[in-house]
Amino acid sequence: MRYILLTLIFICLAYSVSIYMVGSGTFSFVIWLAGAAIFGLAFFLAGKWRLLKVPIALRTISYVLIALAMTVLIICTIAMVSHFGDKGEKDLDYIVVLGAQMRDNGPSIIFKYRLDAAYTYLSENPDTICIVSGGQGQNESVSEGDGGKDYLVSRGIDPERVIAEPKAMDTSENIQYSLDIMKKAADVDKQLKVGIVTNNFHVFRGVHLAKMLTDDEVCGIAAYTVPWYLPNNMVRECFGIIRDFRKMRI
């Protein structure tokens, strides 16, 4: 058991370094440092019968908390994976690309995958309008909405088919502000068909937030995620699902 725990410590530390080296501007690498610390504590307690010296009440509480955390993690993972294959429907009225980090040289890799998925859909469905949503963070030289629109236009999408929404600062605002734009442009009596474009791990939350915010028909369009970074993104997304759960329609 101690050898397994020692291996997990080194895996968490190595993975933390790889996430930090991406330079995404977030502190998600800390999650894996925390994991290494937890496994380190377990490694220490597993030696010389130290665990048996811990009061039984404290051990029971710890086991319950661990079981609860694992249950939540498993449920969130199943929810995310259930939308990994979402491809949307043909001839949607709108697709909404949820913003991600813009860099000085263009969209971050995770944002680029979302925009590439939108490009593919728009190329195959010429009557669909795209809204790229996202404000400008402190570490961004341009808003995600404007930067994302520029990227799609540079790839040959008609500028008239792409609307930049440059104010939203989180997923809920991405969707709400985009819905506001749609309602101003569309017949108020028409039920719209809307696709939410984002990376596969993020589709579940995006779609179910949208279903709470509108009675329009909503579906997901899942973009690619590099498999190496998927564990990090999915663990982070668990916290997002927990935080936004009360805002979602399941």
Side-chain angles (χ1 to χ4, degrees):
M1 175 59 74
R2 298 193 83 204
Y3 288 113
I4 294 174
L5 291 171
L6 192 61
T7 301
L8 291 172
I9 292 170
F10 283 114
I11 289 174
C12 285
L13 289 174
Y15 194 64
S16 175
V17 171
S18 73
I19 297 301
Y20 177 78
M21 294 300 292
V22 173
S24 64
T26 70
F27 294 95
S28 57
F29 68 93
V30 174
I31 295 172
W32 303 99
L33 291 178
I38 292 171
F39 288 128
L41 177 61
F43 177 82
F44 173 77
L45 292 174
K48 297 182 180 180
W49 305 100
R50 295 187 185 97
L51 183 59
L52 296 179
K53 298 176 183 178
V54 176
I56 188 170
L58 183 56
R59 273 186 283 157
T60 301
I61 292 172
S62 299
Y63 294 150
V64 170
L65 291 176
I66 291 171
L68 179 61
M70 291 302 298
T71 301
V72 171
L73 179 62
I74 291 170
I75 291 173
C76 288
T77 298
I78 292 171
M80 284 182 266
V81 171
S82 70
H83 284 267
F84 270 30
D86 285 9
K87 299 183 184 301
E89 301 176 7
K90 288 185 176 294
D91 300 320
L92 296 171
D93 296 300
Y94 288 90
I95 59 172
V96 178
V97 184
L98 304 184
Q101 187 184 31
M102 280 294 302
R103 299 187 175 182
D104 292 340
N105 61 348
S108 61
I109 187 66
I110 203 165
F111 193 17
K112 183 176 180 296
Y113 287 137
R114 299 179 188 186
L115 294 165
D116 288 343
Y119 169 80
T120 299
Y121 186 90
L122 292 169
S123 299
E124 296 172 352
N125 298 272
D127 294 326
T128 300
I129 301 298
C130 176
I131 301 175
V132 186
S133 176
Q136 182 176 352
Q138 293 182 346
N139 61 344
E140 295 174 311
S141 58
V142 65
S143 75
E144 295 161 8
D146 289 317
K149 176 178 180 177
D150 290 344
Y151 177 83
L152 288 172
V153 171
S154 73
R155 291 206 59 188
I157 300 298
D158 185 346
E160 296 298 318
R161 297 180 64 201
V162 187
I163 302 169
E165 186 292 298
K167 296 181 180 179
M169 300 306 292
D170 60 31
T171 302
S172 294
E173 290 185 355
N174 286 147
I175 296 168
Q176 182 63 71
Y177 296 170
S178 297
L179 290 170
D180 291 343
I181 291 173
M182 295 176 209
K183 290 304 182 185
K184 289 179 181 178
D187 184 336
V188 294
D189 294 326
K190 178 185 177 183
Q191 184 179 47
L192 299 174
K193 294 191 294 182
V194 181
I196 305 297
V197 184
T198 188
N199 302 92
N200 48 17
F201 64 88
H202 194 215
V203 175
F204 171 79
R205 181 156 60 109
V207 166
H208 290 280
L209 282 170
K211 287 183 176 181
M212 178 63 84
L213 292 169
T214 181
D215 291 325
D216 291 328
E217 184 178 336
V218 179
C219 62
I221 300 174
Y224 180 72
T225 302
V226 176
W228 176 258
Y229 301 112
L230 197 53
N232 181 66
N233 289 319
M234 291 183 73
V235 170
R236 283 183 57 203
E237 184 64 10
C238 286
F239 291 102
I241 292 172
I242 293 168
R243 182 194 65 201
D244 288 342
F245 186 76
R246 62 184 179 82
K247 303 177 184 178
M248 298 161 62
R249 181 186 297 169
I250 305 300

Coordinates of all heavy atoms in Angstrom, one line a residue, residues 179-215:
L179 N -28.2 34.8 -25.1 CA -29.6 34.7 -25.3 C -30.3 36.0 -25.4 O -31.3 36.2 -26.2 CB -30.2 33.9 -24.1 CG -29.9 32.5 -24.0 CD1 -30.4 31.9 -22.6 CD2 -30.6 31.7 -25.1
D180 N -29.8 37.0 -24.7 CA -30.4 38.4 -24.9 C -30.2 38.9 -26.3 O -31.1 39.5 -26.8 CB -29.7 39.3 -23.9 CG -30.0 39.0 -22.4 OD1 -31.0 38.3 -22.2 OD2 -29.3 39.5 -21.5
I181 N -29.0 38.6 -26.9 CA -28.8 39.1 -28.2 C -29.7 38.4 -29.2 O -30.3 39.0 -30.1 CB -27.3 38.8 -28.6 CG1 -26.4 39.7 -27.9 CG2 -27.1 38.9 -30.1 CD1 -24.9 39.3 -28.0
M182 N -30.0 37.1 -29.0 CA -30.9 36.3 -29.9 C -32.3 36.9 -29.8 O -33.0 37.0 -30.8 CB -30.9 34.8 -29.5 CG -29.6 34.1 -29.6 SD -29.7 32.4 -29.0 CE -28.1 32.1 -28.5
K183 N -32.8 37.1 -28.6 CA -34.1 37.6 -28.4 C -34.4 38.9 -29.1 O -35.5 39.2 -29.6 CB -34.5 37.6 -26.9 CG -34.6 36.2 -26.3 CD -35.6 35.3 -27.0 CE -35.7 34.0 -26.4 NZ -36.6 33.1 -27.1
K184 N -33.4 39.8 -29.1 CA -33.5 41.1 -29.7 C -33.6 41.0 -31.2 O -34.2 41.8 -31.9 CB -32.3 42.0 -29.3 CG -32.3 42.4 -27.8 CD -31.1 43.3 -27.5 CE -31.1 43.7 -26.1 NZ -29.9 44.5 -25.7
A185 N -32.9 39.9 -31.7 CA -32.9 39.8 -33.2 C -34.0 38.9 -33.8 O -34.4 39.1 -34.9 CB -31.5 39.2 -33.6
A186 N -34.6 38.1 -32.9 CA -35.5 37.1 -33.5 C -37.0 37.5 -33.2 O -37.2 38.3 -32.4 CB -35.2 35.7 -32.8
D187 N -37.9 36.8 -33.9 CA -39.3 36.9 -33.6 C -39.6 36.4 -32.2 O -39.2 35.2 -31.9 CB -40.1 36.1 -34.7 CG -41.6 36.2 -34.6 OD1 -42.0 36.6 -33.5 OD2 -42.2 36.0 -35.6
V188 N -40.2 37.2 -31.4 CA -40.4 36.8 -30.0 C -41.3 35.6 -29.8 O -41.2 34.9 -28.8 CB -41.0 38.0 -29.2 CG1 -40.1 39.1 -29.1 CG2 -42.4 38.4 -29.8
D189 N -42.1 35.3 -30.9 CA -43.0 34.1 -30.8 C -42.3 32.8 -31.3 O -42.9 31.7 -31.2 CB -44.3 34.4 -31.6 CG -45.1 35.5 -30.9 OD1 -45.0 35.6 -29.7 OD2 -45.7 36.2 -31.7
K190 N -41.1 32.9 -31.9 CA -40.5 31.8 -32.4 C -39.6 31.1 -31.4 O -38.8 31.7 -30.7 CB -39.6 32.2 -33.6 CG -38.8 31.0 -34.3 CD -37.9 31.5 -35.4 CE -37.1 30.3 -35.9 NZ -36.1 30.8 -37.0
Q191 N -39.7 29.8 -31.3 CA -38.8 29.0 -30.5 C -37.5 28.7 -31.2 O -37.6 28.2 -32.3 CB -39.4 27.7 -30.0 CG -38.5 26.9 -29.0 CD -39.1 25.6 -28.6 OE1 -39.6 24.8 -29.4 NE2 -39.1 25.4 -27.3
L192 N -36.4 29.2 -30.7 CA -35.1 29.0 -31.4 C -34.5 27.7 -31.1 O -34.8 27.0 -30.1 CB -34.2 30.1 -30.9 CG -34.6 31.6 -31.2 CD1 -33.7 32.6 -30.5 CD2 -34.7 31.8 -32.7
K193 N -33.7 27.3 -32.0 CA -32.8 26.1 -31.8 C -31.4 26.6 -31.6 O -30.8 27.2 -32.5 CB -32.9 25.1 -33.0 CG -34.3 24.5 -33.1 CD -34.3 23.4 -34.2 CE -34.0 23.9 -35.5 NZ -34.1 22.8 -36.6
V194 N -30.8 26.3 -30.4 CA -29.5 26.8 -30.0 C -28.5 25.7 -29.7 O -28.9 24.8 -29.0 CB -29.7 27.8 -28.8 CG1 -28.4 28.4 -28.4 CG2 -30.7 28.9 -29.1
G195 N -27.3 25.9 -30.2 CA -26.3 24.9 -29.8 C -25.2 25.6 -29.0 O -24.8 26.8 -29.2
I196 N -24.8 24.9 -27.9 CA -23.7 25.4 -27.0 C -22.4 24.7 -27.4 O -22.3 23.5 -27.3 CB -24.1 25.1 -25.6 CG1 -25.4 25.7 -25.2 CG2 -23.0 25.7 -24.7 CD1 -25.5 27.2 -25.3
V197 N -21.4 25.5 -27.9 CA -20.2 25.0 -28.3 C -19.1 25.2 -27.3 O -18.8 26.4 -26.9 CB -19.7 25.7 -29.6 CG1 -18.4 25.0 -30.2 CG2 -20.8 25.6 -30.7
T198 N -18.5 24.1 -26.8 CA -17.5 24.2 -25.8 C -16.7 22.9 -25.7 O -17.2 21.9 -26.4 CB -18.0 24.6 -24.4 OG1 -16.9 24.9 -23.5 CG2 -18.9 23.6 -23.8
N199 N -15.7 22.8 -25.0 CA -14.9 21.6 -24.9 C -15.7 20.5 -24.3 O -16.6 20.8 -23.4 CB -13.6 21.8 -24.1 CG -12.8 22.9 -24.8 OD1 -12.9 24.0 -24.4 ND2 -11.9 22.5 -25.7
N200 N -15.4 19.2 -24.6 CA -16.3 18.1 -24.2 C -16.6 18.1 -22.7 O -17.7 17.8 -22.3 CB -15.7 16.8 -24.7 CG -14.2 16.6 -24.3 OD1 -13.7 17.4 -23.5 ND2 -13.6 15.7 -25.0
F201 N -15.6 18.4 -21.8 CA -15.8 18.3 -20.4 C -16.7 19.4 -19.9 O -17.3 19.3 -18.8 CB -14.5 18.4 -19.7 CG -13.7 19.7 -19.9 CD1 -14.0 20.8 -19.0 CD2 -12.8 19.8 -20.9 CE1 -13.3 22.0 -19.2 CE2 -12.1 21.0 -21.1 CZ -12.4 22.1 -20.3
H202 N -17.0 20.4 -20.7 CA -17.7 21.6 -20.3 C -19.1 21.6 -20.8 O -19.9 22.5 -20.4 CB -16.9 22.8 -20.8 CG -17.3 24.1 -20.2 ND1 -17.3 25.3 -20.9 CD2 -17.8 24.5 -18.9 CE1 -17.7 26.3 -20.1 NE2 -18.0 25.8 -18.9
V203 N -19.4 20.7 -21.7 CA -20.7 20.7 -22.4 C -21.9 20.5 -21.4 O -22.9 21.2 -21.5 CB -20.8 19.7 -23.5 CG1 -22.2 19.7 -24.2 CG2 -19.8 20.0 -24.6
F204 N -21.8 19.6 -20.5 CA -22.8 19.3 -19.6 C -23.3 20.5 -18.9 O -24.5 20.8 -18.8 CB -22.4 18.2 -18.6 CG -23.4 18.0 -17.4 CD1 -24.5 17.3 -17.6 CD2 -23.1 18.6 -16.2 CE1 -25.4 17.1 -16.6 CE2 -24.0 18.4 -15.2 CZ -25.2 17.7 -15.3
R205 N -22.3 21.2 -18.3 CA -22.7 22.4 -17.5 C -23.3 23.5 -18.4 O -24.3 24.2 -18.1 CB -21.5 23.0 -16.7 CG -21.8 24.2 -15.9 CD -20.8 24.3 -14.7 NE -19.4 24.5 -15.2 CZ -18.7 25.6 -15.1 NH1 -19.3 26.7 -14.6 NH2 -17.5 25.6 -15.5
G206 N -22.7 23.7 -19.6 CA -23.2 24.7 -20.5 C -24.6 24.5 -20.9 O -25.4 25.4 -20.9
V207 N -24.9 23.3 -21.3 CA -26.2 22.9 -21.8 C -27.3 23.1 -20.7 O -28.3 23.6 -21.0 CB -26.2 21.5 -22.4 CG1 -27.7 21.0 -22.6 CG2 -25.5 21.5 -23.7
H208 N -27.0 22.6 -19.6 CA -28.0 22.6 -18.5 C -28.1 23.9 -17.8 O -29.2 24.2 -17.3 CB -27.7 21.5 -17.5 CG -27.9 20.1 -18.0 ND1 -29.1 19.5 -18.1 CD2 -27.0 19.2 -18.6 CE1 -29.0 18.3 -18.7 NE2 -27.8 18.1 -19.0
L209 N -27.1 24.8 -17.9 CA -27.3 26.2 -17.5 C -28.2 26.9 -18.5 O -29.1 27.6 -18.1 CB -26.0 26.9 -17.5 CG -25.1 26.7 -16.2 CD1 -23.7 27.3 -16.4 CD2 -25.7 27.3 -15.0
A210 N -28.0 26.6 -19.8 CA -28.9 27.2 -20.8 C -30.3 26.8 -20.7 O -31.2 27.5 -20.9 CB -28.3 26.8 -22.2
K211 N -30.5 25.5 -20.4 CA -31.9 25.0 -20.3 C -32.7 25.7 -19.1 O -33.9 25.8 -19.2 CB -31.9 23.5 -20.1 CG -31.5 22.7 -21.4 CD -31.6 21.2 -21.2 CE -31.3 20.5 -22.5 NZ -31.4 19.0 -22.4
M212 N -31.9 26.1 -18.1 CA -32.6 26.8 -17.0 C -32.9 28.3 -17.4 O -33.9 28.8 -17.0 CB -31.6 26.8 -15.8 CG -32.2 27.6 -14.6 SD -33.7 26.9 -13.9 CE -33.1 25.7 -12.9
L213 N -32.1 28.8 -18.3 CA -32.2 30.2 -18.7 C -33.2 30.5 -19.9 O -33.6 31.6 -20.1 CB -30.9 30.8 -19.1 CG -29.9 30.9 -17.9 CD1 -28.5 31.3 -18.4 CD2 -30.3 32.0 -16.9
T214 N -33.6 29.4 -20.6 CA -34.4 29.6 -21.7 C -35.3 28.4 -22.0 O -35.0 27.3 -21.6 CB -33.6 29.9 -23.0 OG1 -34.5 30.1 -24.1 CG2 -32.7 28.7 -23.3
D215 N -36.5 28.6 -22.6 CA -37.4 27.5 -23.0 C -37.1 27.1 -24.5 O -37.8 26.3 -25.0 CB -38.8 28.0 -22.9 CG -39.2 28.1 -21.4 OD1 -38.7 27.3 -20.6 OD2 -40.0 29.0 -21.1

